[in-house]
Amino acid sequence: MKTLFQLLFTLLFIWQAAAQNKPEGNFVIINPGDTPEQIIEKAANVTPSHRQYEWQRMEFIGFVHFGINTFLNLEWGKKNMDIKKFNPKKFDANQWVRVLKDAGMKEIILTAKHHDGFCLWQTKYNHYNIAYTPFENGKGDIVRDLSKACHKAGLKFGVYLSPWDMHAKTYGTPAYNTYFENLLTELLTKYGKISEVWFDGANGEGPNGKKQIYDWHAYYKLIRKLQPDAVIAIMGPDVRWVGTESGYGRQTEWSVLPGSSSSLENIAANSQQKDLDNAFVPKDLTAEDLGSREKIEHAKSLIWYPAEVDVSIRPRWFYHKDDDELVKSPYKLVDIYYNSVGLNDVLLLNVPPDKNGLVTKYDIKALRGMRNILDETFKNNLVKNAVAEASNEKKGFEARNILDNNYNTYWTTSDTTSTASIEIKLDGEKSFNRAMLQENILAGQRIEKFHLEYFDGNDWKNFAAATTIGYKRLLRFPEVTTDKVKIVIDQCRTNPTLSTFGLFMAPPEVKIQPDGGTFTDTIHFNLTSNEKGAGIFYTLDGKIPDKNSLKYSDKVVLNKTTKVTAIAISPDGKKSLPVMAVFGKAKYGVKYNSEFDSKYPGGGNYALVDGLKGSTNFNDGRWQGFNGSNLDVVIDLGKVKKIKKISTDFLRDIPSFIFLPASVDFSASINGKEFSLLKNFQNDPPLNNNSPLIKKFEIKPVNLSARYIRVKAVNIGVCPPWHKGAGDKAWIFCDEVTIE
Ligand code: FUL
């Protein structure tokens, strides 16, 4: 119950806001007569709703893709799958929670129902759910166990419920809306507090598929009624998809956008339309400016609509054994963290458990590595005991508030100035290479441009600069040593605010440049570290280096296939994580008569002869792809040689649009001009088979002497009529032409 005092206070606040023509929350109308200055002032005062604020404060959350796909090695599933295959015998929700919590995540979102329609909880609204599987004799409930484990461990819990449904018979009719609301009601009433509801925009029905008119407003009303604190993400009003699944947000990220940015049609049109089309047609809408002055000037309304960056720790969303070795490295995850959390976004990192129902050791190792680096970096804020003095400050909002490690206290100026600066005297000389700034978003997002300076004894020098800050901005720069820094706000929408400032020293890092590749004669690599004075050590035999290993001083030249592993050790003995790169020596020259696709180079010009073979995962970086076109290459052995065997491998992965070639020709030549055909293989027309397969085409010629071998594989051209991508370009994926 609100007290009379609270009520009066609220009324006073609304009256004040209206009098100042300011928004009262996360929405404001732009009147036709508003001047550009008034619009900017309005934008600067739009603030998050309570639920949006609580969501933003989490910074880092976990995604779990788990379902029948996990057991059938699929990503988008298909109709009528054998759900009896669902049986994670060692399932342990507490293990998932432990691993993700240790990684620093504050919430876990589970794919309660993915596009295939299979439900991970005991629903009474279909027979396509966990109750009809052998898992725990039909008594299991992943939503129940995971929500309990999260709540017990102090984590929030969210549900992903795919609006698109391949299985539901009613999909495409109004009855589906009732079905969907029934599922939602179960999820929102049986499992305690739900903090996020994630509606995916993806739909693979294609132009001739079923069209569902979703009753979004009914869904939202239901969620607000049953779980008023939950944010509704992606196809929803509270949280926006950043526009890519790469893990990298925008350098300039506004949380205040034109009201039209939450148009559901646009969101759906920009979401995935095909299985794995994130791999084949990478969506990257992050280049687009969404909230600059130019963008908001013509808006009819403005809303607080913050961005979430969803990305998988593996190449795919669901678990596939083939991806075990392709889990992102700790450095990559840290880079993603800086480019999401550090860019005013919330990071939603997917960690898919395996068929046993456990997060694997590969993912755990990567998450631990990432957490170690982040903890080491941010454990010691070097502005502790510093003194801050601003060019202008408002009483009660002094500059010292940015140093007190309390988000709620903040600095602002006494007037609506758009530039200001704060000088910070450190407690003695300090070295640092990372900075962190936070605006107080409860007052709005305002800063448009800022830079940082340090005093070198004589002059002020710039060392970092950026545009927006928002909830959090992290900056990385080469090490600076000084006893004085300055934050300069160059441009702001109204009086700036800053809640927090930090300076940190990240542990040493080491880089191998280039980070692997294929070569013919020799190749060289360099090793660098971000830490001044760090020693760099490496091995060439796959072993983890230590201070007794080879010490790097200058570029290293390789003349054979080699695995390089390197570490940096700082003068005070701190070690970086080891990094690894493989350099493969190609045995032969390769001339292409047709070009491979730049999205699947498989390692580049020598990928077909580098001795590294592709696995059944098309995305393992080894397969070379030809999109709608033939493969036509000539391998040059350098001189005429006796040849006993020629073989080549092709991948078939039909759900991913990858087909075996219609035919494969091997021919040979002495001079590279006239070729004689050795063998023509004709393949059967493709069958609708979902399991990936590698097919070898091989000949063993007798008495063949040649210098040039030509391999030509004819693409089937387009996906066959029965395929979901019927008429779209088909892929050929080839790896390794082996000649003995
Ligand atoms: C996409 C889906 O199609 C993927 O399978 C995955 O769930 C991802 C998070 O969203 O749109």
Side-chain angles (χ1 to χ4, degrees):
M1 269 294 264
K2 277 192 170 168
T3 62
L4 188 63
F5 177 75
Q6 276 173 324
L7 207 65
L8 279 173
F9 184 79
T10 313
L11 282 175
L12 184 74
F13 177 77
I14 294 174
W15 173 78
Q16 267 186 345
Q20 293 169 29
N21 197 20
K22 276 186 185 172
E24 292 146 31
N26 68 348
F27 176 82
V28 66
I29 299 281
I30 305 290
N31 303 318
D34 284 349
T35 62
E37 292 71 37
Q38 283 170 323
I39 297 174
I40 295 302
E41 183 67 21
K42 280 186 175 179
N45 287 288
V46 177
T47 52
S49 64
H50 181 67
R51 57 176 88 85
Q52 286 173 317
Y53 177 69
E54 290 298 320
W55 169 85
Q56 185 91 47
R57 299 271 292 173
M58 291 192 290
E59 300 190 5
F60 183 24
I61 59 187
F63 217 173
V64 173
H65 276 66
F66 189 63
I68 184 65
N69 287 339
T70 313
F71 296 83
L72 301 178
N73 206 15
L74 295 171
E75 274 292 291
W76 264 23
K78 48 187 177 159
K79 277 189 198 126
N80 298 321
M81 291 185 291
D82 181 6
I83 60 168
K84 294 251 173 327
K85 292 262 156 47
F86 183 92
N87 197 5
K89 296 215 172 87
K90 297 185 183 160
F91 166 67
D92 179 2
N94 292 310
Q95 187 245 13
W96 303 5
V97 169
R98 245 187 344 263
V99 170
L100 301 188
K101 188 178 175 186
D102 285 353
M105 298 175 187
K106 302 285 188 286
E107 175 186 278
I108 299 179
I109 301 178
L110 171 72
T111 52
K113 168 176 90 84
H114 202 252
H115 310 323
D116 51 67
F118 175 68
C119 295
L120 284 180
W121 75 100
Q122 301 269 341
T123 168
K124 58 176 192 226
Y125 295 105
N126 61 42
H127 293 168
Y128 206 55
N129 71 71
I130 204 154
Y132 299 85
T133 71
F135 173 59
E136 294 180 356
N137 295 323
K139 298 279 179 299
D141 188 326
I142 307 282
V143 181
R144 175 194 65 208
D145 294 356
L146 186 59
S147 59
K148 267 199 191 142
C150 281
H151 293 140
K152 194 172 88 199
L155 292 196
K156 294 185 179 179
F157 177 66
V159 287
Y160 167 114
L161 190 69
S162 168
W164 178 38
D165 194 311
M166 304 177 188
H167 185 81
K169 295 234 166 33
T170 53
Y171 187 79
T173 73
Y176 179 76
N177 283 324
T178 314
Y179 171 70
F180 194 76
E181 284 168 52
N182 285 336
L183 297 185
L184 252 181
T185 305
E186 283 182 336
L187 287 174
L188 301 179
T189 51
K190 284 171 60 183
Y191 302 104
K193 193 163 173 95
I194 304 289
S195 302
E196 184 158 351
V197 179
W198 218 89
F199 288 147
D200 200 324
N203 188 330
E205 291 285 332
N208 304 321
K210 292 182 195 159
K211 283 256 159 323
Q212 176 67 39
I213 318 248
Y214 299 109
D215 193 351
W216 294 112
H217 293 285
Y219 309 165
Y220 300 164
K221 240 172 88 185
L222 191 64
I223 299 168
R224 293 291 195 243
K225 186 173 119 205
L226 300 175
Q227 293 282 350
D229 294 334
V231 288
I232 310 172
I234 315 308
M235 297 296 284
D238 302 317
V239 169
R240 156 174 65 96
W241 180 49
V242 78
T244 169
E245 290 176 348
S246 65
Y248 291 73
R250 287 179 185 76
Q251 289 299 320
T252 298
E253 191 64 87
W254 286 102
S255 294
V256 179
L257 305 189
S260 56
S261 1
S262 60
S263 137
L264 296 173
E265 289 77 24
N266 284 346
I267 301 172
N270 283 324
S271 298
Q272 261 181 257
Q273 305 301 325
K274 282 178 194 158
D275 188 358
L276 289 181
D277 95 352
N278 61 331
F280 286 104
V281 191
K283 284 261 154 51
D284 191 353
L285 309 171
T286 51
E288 208 196 328
D289 155 28
L290 298 180
S292 68
R293 286 184 183 234
E294 294 71 49
K295 284 280 164 178
I296 60 177
E297 224 160 67
H298 305 290
K300 294 199 173 68
S301 62
L302 297 172
I303 50 171
W304 186 270
Y305 201 27
E308 187 172 71
V309 172
D310 64 324
V311 58
S312 185
I313 194 167
R314 291 165 168 253
R316 294 178 270 185
W317 291 101
F318 285 89
Y319 175 82
H320 304 269
K321 188 156 185 24
D322 280 348
D323 294 347
D324 280 350
E325 301 287 346
L326 300 171
V327 168
K328 292 184 173 63
S329 71
Y331 279 136
K332 177 76 180 170
L333 294 174
V334 168
D335 200 43
I336 285 177
Y337 179 88
Y338 279 103
N339 282 288
S340 52
V341 176
L343 289 175
N344 189 31
D345 304 315
V346 166
L347 171 58
L348 172 58
L349 180 65
N350 178 58
V351 183
D354 66 4
K355 287 185 191 184
N356 285 322
L358 295 172
V359 178
T360 77
K361 59 178 186 199
Y362 304 94
D363 308 77
I364 295 176
K365 191 168 168 217
L367 290 169
R368 282 199 184 137
M370 174 206 72
R371 193 66 256 161
N372 276 345
I373 298 174
L374 293 175
D375 284 350
E376 270 297 305
T377 304
F378 293 109
K379 71 177 183 205
N380 188 14
N381 189 345
L382 299 166
V383 302
K384 226 184 306 152
N385 307 325
V387 179
E389 201 178 302
S391 57
N392 172 348
E393 64 187 19
K394 186 170 168 176
K395 203 164 173 351
F397 301 87
E398 287 81 12
R400 65 167 178 269
N401 291 339
I402 69 171
L403 307 178
D404 67 0
N405 207 11
N406 176 354
Y407 187 79
N408 298 322
T409 61
Y410 64 101
W411 158 80
T412 190
T413 55
S414 57
D415 51 23
T416 55
T417 176
S418 63
T419 58
S421 65
I422 304 180
E423 195 179 309
I424 295 159
K425 286 192 195 61
L426 301 171
D427 179 23
E429 202 160 75
K430 309 273 175 202
S431 296
F432 47 87
N433 54 15
R434 303 284 184 267
M436 188 256 287
L437 296 99
Q438 294 191 282
E439 276 180 85
N440 176 31
I441 58 169
L442 290 174
Q445 188 186 355
R446 301 175 172 190
I447 295 172
E448 294 175 298
K449 202 168 162 226
F450 71 97
H451 72 271
L452 303 177
E453 298 178 9
Y454 74 96
F455 193 65
D456 75 352
N458 296 310
D459 291 318
W460 286 97
K461 300 243 164 77
N462 291 3
F463 67 92
T467 52
T468 43
I469 296 178
Y471 176 70
K472 190 173 257 191
R473 181 91 195 198
L474 296 171
L475 298 165
R476 290 179 288 182
F477 42 84
E479 188 177 327
V480 169
T481 303
T482 185
D483 60 358
K484 253 193 280 180
V485 294
K486 202 192 274 181
I487 307 169
V488 184
I489 311 293
D490 298 304
Q491 199 186 321
C492 197
R493 291 185 167 173
T494 185
N495 56 311
T497 76
L498 276 183
S499 274
T500 322
F501 179 64
L503 293 171
F504 306 91
M505 185 68 183
E509 268 174 32
V510 64
K511 263 200 189 128
I512 307 179
Q513 287 164 320
D515 62 354
T518 314
F519 61 100
T520 40
D521 297 328
T522 60
I523 194 166
H524 70 262
F525 66 85
N526 290 300
L527 300 177
T528 52
S529 171
N530 63 333
E531 177 137 334
K532 276 187 210 154
I536 305 178
F537 301 88
Y538 66 98
T539 60
L540 301 175
D541 56 5
K543 294 213 177 89
I544 304 291
D546 57 28
K547 61 179 189 332
N548 301 317
S549 306
L550 295 164
K551 182 155 197 232
Y552 176 80
S553 55
D554 198 3
K555 68 175 185 198
V556 181
V557 180
L558 301 173
N559 58 14
K560 57 175 198 243
T561 295
T562 310
K563 191 173 182 183
V564 179
T565 315
I567 58 162
I569 305 182
S570 68
D572 58 354
K574 264 193 250 142
K575 277 190 193 166
S576 73
L577 286 178
V579 291
M580 205 261 296
V582 178
F583 296 90
K585 179 153 178 163
K587 279 172 130 168
Y588 311 122
V590 183
K591 184 174 154 268
Y592 283 85
N593 295 327
S594 67
E595 273 178 31
F596 55 83
D597 193 275
S598 59
K599 279 194 231 93
Y600 293 92
N605 287 336
Y606 300 99
L608 297 181
V609 291
D610 64 1
L612 303 168
K613 289 200 176 181
S615 66
T616 50
N617 175 5
F618 74 87
N619 212 2
D620 67 5
R622 304 230 162 119
W623 290 101
Q624 196 160 73
F626 296 80
N627 193 9
S629 56
N630 299 339
L631 167 151
D632 190 352
V633 285
V634 177
I635 314 293
D636 178 358
L637 309 184
K639 57 181 189 229
V640 175
K641 287 186 177 168
K642 277 212 167 354
I643 296 168
K644 288 198 236 97
K645 191 167 110 183
I646 308 171
S647 75
T648 158
D649 298 308
F650 291 92
L651 176 71
R652 184 194 74 189
D653 186 349
I654 291 180
S656 308
F657 297 50
I658 303 166
F659 294 84
L660 292 174
S663 64
V664 179
D665 285 354
F666 291 129
S667 26
S669 165
I670 296 279
N671 57 14
K673 290 187 189 104
E674 289 90 32
F675 281 84
S676 41
L677 184 68
L678 301 171
K679 170 101 184 168
N680 165 273
F681 291 94
Q682 288 293 330
N683 244 331
D684 294 335
L687 292 176
N688 192 356
N689 186 329
N690 276 336
S691 331
L693 166 114
I694 297 174
K695 182 160 179 184
K696 191 182 281 305
F697 296 84
E698 183 175 276
I699 55 168
K700 292 185 174 163
V702 203
N703 286 336
L704 172 67
S705 291
R707 171 169 169 180
Y708 301 93
I709 299 296
R710 180 172 175 184
V711 183
K712 185 170 173 191
V714 176
N715 196 317
I716 61 162
V718 291
C719 301
W722 48 262
H723 192 263
K724 63 187 160 198
D728 287 355
K729 284 185 193 167
W731 287 83
I732 290 185
F733 268 42
C734 180
D735 191 28
E736 284 314 287
V737 176
T738 313
I739 302 172
E740 283 171 13

